[in-house]
Amino acid sequence: YREAVMIAEALRNCRHLLVFSGAGVSAESGIATFRDALSGLWARFDPARLATPEAFLADPELVWGWYEWRRQQVLRAAPNAAHRAIAELASRVPRLTLVTQNVDDLHERAGSQAVIHLHGSLHAPCCFDCAAPYAGLDTELSEPEQGRRLPPPYCGVCGGRVRPGVVWFGEPLPLATLEAAEQAAKQCDLMLVVGTAGAVYPAAGLAHHARAAGARVVVLNPAPSALDEVAHQVLTGTAATLLPQLLDD
Ligand code: APR
């Protein structure tokens, strides 16, 4: 707790805060982290068999079914105290940039604006072939809890298969999005790295950029992460416990 107070002080002096979030921020909303999303029914699958373009081409019904299961989890979920605290932080500092690896929309639903989604969104599917956005996704709850194979819809423009609007392993991040995030990392003076294993690049590289450019880097995570060694300070605890403490002063 004393450490959280130290950060509250850093926040008071901060001019540009960068919050970099990962799956752990949504964990307390009941959204499975990437690792947890491969438990239960999906335990026998390797991420490389679900989250790659090759996997989609080889078995579109398997991959689409997995993403629909995850999207339905998000539809059922609500933002938690961590999402709300991050939205509130924006009013406590002159400038806040929020960069997330998450493909859910819980930051937005908690009130955060201009969220930079490095890895895309579960809610913005598009055509695998021509990239046209697809607007026909069902927003009603329709999936069984455990998920199932589902055929992806067809694109209304070219007849191709519709895919999730997320960045898969082996795919480049959208350039403008990555550049905006890297610019914020180089300009910020405080970076909070919340709920990410810090193992996936180039996203995790943001912490290195921020540290190299002179920002204070603080990791918040209940477990050790690959970015602990880049951080000036590591706070051990869950996002929904630690982040609201930063708002008490
Ligand atoms: N509060 C904060 N952190 C938590 C919590 C919690 N309640 N619960 C778990 N965590 C932490 C875990 O300790 C772990 O470090 O969240 C992290 C989740 O790690 P991953 O599932 O690997 O998620 P993330 O780091 O966001 O993954 C990065 O990899 O799979 C790809 O594209 C996908 O965006 C994803 C990227």
Side-chain angles (χ1 to χ4, degrees), residues 1-102:
Y1 182 76
R2 229 180 62 220
E3 292 228 290
V5 172
M6 275 172 59
I7 297 179
E9 210 168 291
L11 274 171
R12 275 194 292 277
N13 300 322
C14 165
R15 300 189 55 75
H16 183 176
L17 172 63
L18 173 58
V19 178
F20 175 53
S21 71
V25 167
S26 295
E28 286 156 283
S29 292
I31 308 294
T33 62
F34 197 74
R35 178 172 296 184
D36 292 338
L38 293 161
S39 62
L41 196 71
W42 302 98
R44 63 206 163 93
F45 295 105
D46 190 283
R49 281 196 55 201
L50 293 169
T52 66
E54 292 77 17
F56 182 76
L57 287 173
D59 196 343
E61 300 190 4
L62 174 69
V63 173
W64 185 256
W66 186 57
Y67 279 95
E68 278 295 282
W69 170 70
R70 293 176 61 199
R71 189 175 68 86
Q72 293 282 335
Q73 272 191 340
V74 171
L75 291 178
R76 288 189 186 95
N80 66 56
H83 300 104
R84 289 194 295 273
I86 291 167
E88 171 66 20
L89 278 170
S91 65
R92 306 283 185 102
V93 293
R95 184 164 172 209
L96 179 145
T97 303
L98 173 54
V99 176
T100 188
Q101 298 165 91
N102 297 343

Side-chain angles (χ1 to χ4, degrees), residues 200-224:
V200 172
Y201 284 77
L206 295 175
H208 300 267
H209 286 308
R211 170 105 200 198
R216 182 168 187 80
V217 178
V218 181
V219 163
L220 296 81
N221 199 309

